[in-house]
Amino acid sequence: MSQKQVGGPPGDNSAVDWCLYQLNGAAEFEVSEADIISTVEFNHTGELLATGDKGGRVVIFQREPESKNEPYNQGEYNVYSTFQSHEPEFDYLKSLEIEEKINKIKWLPQQNAAHSLLSTNDKTIKLWKITERDKRPEGYNLKDEEGKLKDLSTVTSLQVPVLKPMDLMVEVTPRRIFANGHTYHVNSISVNSDCETYMSADDLRINLWHLAITDRSFNIVDIKPANMEDLTEVITASEFHPHHCNLFVYSSSKGSLRLCDMRASALCDKHSKLYEEPEDPSNRSFFSEIISSVSDVKFSHSGRYMLTRDYLTVKVWDLNMETKPVETYQVHDYLRSKLCSLYENDCIFDKFECAWNGSDSVIMTGAYNNFFRMFDRNTKRDVTLEASRESSKPRAILKPRRVCVGGKRRKDDISVDSLDFTKKILHTAWHPTENIIAIAATNNLYIFQDKVNSEMH
């Protein structure tokens, strides 16, 4: 299978050759648990890229502007700011430790010179404001240079304070803390297109928050049964529609999607549409329900389609067709025979994310052995690429990888039995308008670009 024609520029399906553009993170044999990246998110322009990790830290990268003096650095993402978003806590009532791990980051659309983002761990969502300061006021009348108050008797004349240039400082401040809204672990947050509200989902409930109000939220979905023994499914992910502020979707561990309309009622327990694919009886097994659980759902930029990821496949759903997906792509079907051992080592419960490119023509998702997959919806071509230090030389074109199951092996093929299940690509992000992708592999962040883009830079 040719690697070409997977991931062309928006509106164009010409050949794309992906190459490693940047690699952030240390090459360590023993990786600290706190350094493992747990979420990756571009902002709406693609100029900023945020990552969260299991140690509760958020690192923001900023894309360098064009420079005639340093043409080779153009377009590189350099560290802009690093801050501690969450600390470990202890719930004394339930005797439970609350991890500091960042589950999700969502950028808010930019309203002024400052940037804002939401970050969440299992329980608490925080709104952060990121601002730049390159000037400082000097010449106060009542304070000395160290900021201490002067003796008023020594002030004999008044002066007008002035702003003096200083080295650029990036300040990150917590503007809001949204706590006590969830009994169970928060798995997703999504900012509404009205730019005033957002929702947060845990295993059994979805809450709607106003960005300015921290002490109350509205419960818009509650699937908790009166008797917990009757529990048959949990909420796995949720997202607002990109254009219609009244619509949102949530996915379940049974493989279904429910589209809800907040105009219909305050509590959206009764969905407007249910998207579900009947199970093929010939594929029925002990693992059927586990592998059908949806780990991620994403609306397309157009708002017409939804992309879902379960353990073995990615599916594209048309909002107007509930009976079955319009497209199904096999991510790693060669693992179907390995489900028993994947169940025993808990890998079968891994939650892979998925992403659209800027024009909704290509979809991307991760796999094992630090592989990630791309599917071109127009040409129906697909490719397997690898994010690794060994196979990725800077600016060198990535070679497609192939996994073989028994039989004849080509020279560069990798056997399904030699895949490393500890190396997994769970978190990926695609630049909103360009062919730039961010791939989190354990504690490393890989940034790949198409060769054309890279050479221009």
Side-chain angles (χ1 to χ4, degrees):
M1 194 248 94
S2 165
Q3 177 201 356
K4 299 216 176 264
Q5 294 186 337
V6 175
D12 173 28
N13 277 329
S14 57
V16 168
D17 289 316
W18 291 95
C19 63
L20 178 66
Y21 196 60
Q22 270 178 273
L23 173 53
N24 296 292
E28 297 170 13
F29 294 110
E30 287 293 317
V31 177
S32 161
E33 183 82 4
D35 293 335
I36 295 173
I37 298 171
S38 53
T39 184
V40 188
E41 192 82 12
F42 280 103
N43 75 337
H44 295 76
T45 61
E47 292 306 298
L48 297 175
L49 172 64
T51 65
D53 64 25
K54 288 192 173 181
R57 293 178 298 257
V58 172
V59 181
I60 301 173
F61 298 87
Q62 184 184 44
R63 196 177 184 189
E64 290 299 314
E66 294 183 31
S67 163
K68 289 180 181 173
N69 304 333
E70 297 181 59
Y72 296 108
N73 286 351
Q74 178 193 336
E76 278 202 4
Y77 284 87
N78 292 326
V79 175
Y80 180 61
S81 178
T82 303
F83 62 96
Q84 188 73 31
S85 171
H86 288 71
E87 301 278 0
E89 295 173 61
F90 192 79
D91 185 332
Y92 292 97
L93 289 174
K94 295 180 180 170
S95 295
L96 280 177
E97 281 186 43
I98 301 167
E99 284 185 318
E100 65 271 38
K101 174 192 164 204
I102 308 295
N103 291 344
K104 285 286 182 279
I105 291 172
K106 291 292 173 191
W107 290 93
L108 272 61
Q110 195 175 357
Q111 311 279 9
N112 49 39
H115 294 277
S116 300
L117 63 79
L118 288 167
S119 63
T120 185
N121 67 348
D122 283 341
K123 298 286 180 187
T124 306
I125 304 145
K126 297 183 181 182
L127 173 63
W128 298 90
K129 184 180 179 183
I130 301 111
T131 51
E132 289 185 355
R133 220 169 63 178
D134 60 356
K135 292 184 175 65
R136 68 168 183 264
E138 281 186 8
Y140 284 112
N141 290 296
L142 303 180
K143 293 180 187 172
D144 62 18
E145 287 174 9
E146 293 173 5
K148 294 175 183 170
L149 281 173
K150 292 180 182 176
D151 180 357
L152 293 182
S153 61
T154 63
V155 179
T156 55
S157 61
L158 294 177
Q159 58 183 351
V160 178
V162 291
L163 288 173
K164 292 277 182 74
M166 60 177 263
D167 290 341
L168 179 69
M169 239 174 71
V170 179
E171 293 182 334
V172 181
T173 48
R175 296 308 302 265
R176 307 264 189 281
I177 295 177
F178 305 89
N180 307 319
H182 287 278
T183 309
Y184 307 97
H185 292 178
V186 177
N187 55 46
S188 45
I189 48 177
S190 178
V191 181
N192 198 340
S193 59
D194 66 9
C195 301
E196 287 190 356
T197 55
Y198 76 91
M199 69 175 172
S200 56
D202 66 24
D203 297 336
L204 297 178
R205 297 188 181 103
I206 300 176
N207 292 338
L208 180 69
W209 302 81
H210 193 286
L211 284 161
I213 302 168
T214 59
D215 59 356
R216 66 180 179 275
S217 61
F218 296 96
N219 181 226
I220 51 175
V221 172
D222 187 346
I223 65 166
K224 184 174 185 282
N227 183 354
M228 283 297 271
E229 288 178 7
D230 299 332
L231 184 69
T232 57
E233 64 181 335
V234 293
I235 298 166
T236 54
S238 68
E239 190 175 56
F240 268 120
H241 190 280
H243 312 305
H244 302 300
C245 61
N246 52 291
L247 294 178
F248 68 92
V249 67
Y250 70 91
S251 57
S252 89
S253 55
K254 279 194 163 177
S256 59
L257 299 173
R258 289 175 174 84
L259 187 72
C260 301
D261 189 339
M262 292 193 291
R263 296 172 301 186
S265 66
L267 190 64
C268 299
D269 284 356
K270 290 187 172 66
H271 50 266
S272 301
K273 288 191 174 187
L274 173 65
Y275 302 85
E276 211 166 26
E277 186 176 25
E279 190 186 4
D280 180 356
S282 63
N283 281 338
R284 179 86 193 148
S285 75
F286 170 75
F287 306 108
S288 295
E289 194 165 305
I290 302 172
I291 63 172
S292 66
S293 175
V294 175
S295 55
D296 195 19
V297 59
K298 295 269 170 56
F299 277 107
S300 62
H301 296 85
S302 68
R304 171 73 188 271
Y305 300 100
M306 295 179 293
L307 177 64
T308 61
R309 171 71 206 258
D310 57 37
Y311 192 63
L312 295 177
T313 66
V314 276
K315 295 173 182 173
V316 177
W317 300 79
D318 188 318
L319 257 66
N320 301 322
M321 191 165 100
E322 299 169 61
T323 50
K324 61 177 182 179
V326 287
E327 297 157 34
T328 300
Y329 301 97
Q330 298 296 332
V331 178
H332 38 209
D333 201 46
Y334 46 78
L335 295 183
R336 204 173 280 278
S337 61
K338 303 270 176 203
L339 293 177
C340 197
S341 56
L342 290 164
Y343 177 77
E344 285 169 2
N345 65 16
D346 279 352
C347 283
I348 202 167
F349 301 106
D350 285 335
K351 291 176 168 50
F352 292 94
E353 294 171 8
C354 50
W356 297 90
N357 73 338
S359 63
D360 300 333
S361 60
V362 183
I363 52 186
M364 171 176 66
T365 191
Y368 292 107
N369 210 67
N370 277 0
F371 288 170
F372 59 100
R373 303 271 281 135
M374 286 186 181
F375 304 92
D376 190 309
R377 299 180 58 211
N378 298 323
T379 63
K380 301 302 177 195
R381 291 174 182 266
D382 67 281
V383 69
T384 302
L385 300 171
E386 183 179 6
S388 76
R389 290 175 181 272
E390 295 74 38
S391 67
S392 309
K393 294 188 176 69
R395 307 293 193 276
I397 293 172
L398 289 184
K399 288 181 183 160
R401 302 302 309 266
R402 251 173 56 99
V403 177
C404 74
V405 187
K408 291 182 181 176
R409 275 180 67 182
R410 293 190 207 163
K411 184 178 158 225
D412 293 327
D413 284 3
I414 181 164
S415 160
V416 69
D417 295 317
S418 55
L419 292 173
D420 187 342
F421 292 106
T422 63
K423 294 179 176 176
K424 50 193 98 169
I425 306 286
L426 301 176
H427 313 289
T428 61
W430 201 311
H431 188 288
T433 55
E434 295 180 42
N435 274 334
I436 300 172
I437 54 174
I439 306 280
T442 320
N443 63 323
N444 294 308
L445 179 69
Y446 291 81
I447 297 175
F448 298 99
Q449 279 196 3
D450 64 21
K451 187 70 173 167
V452 181
N453 230 342
S454 180
E455 283 172 351
M456 281 167 56
H457 292 165

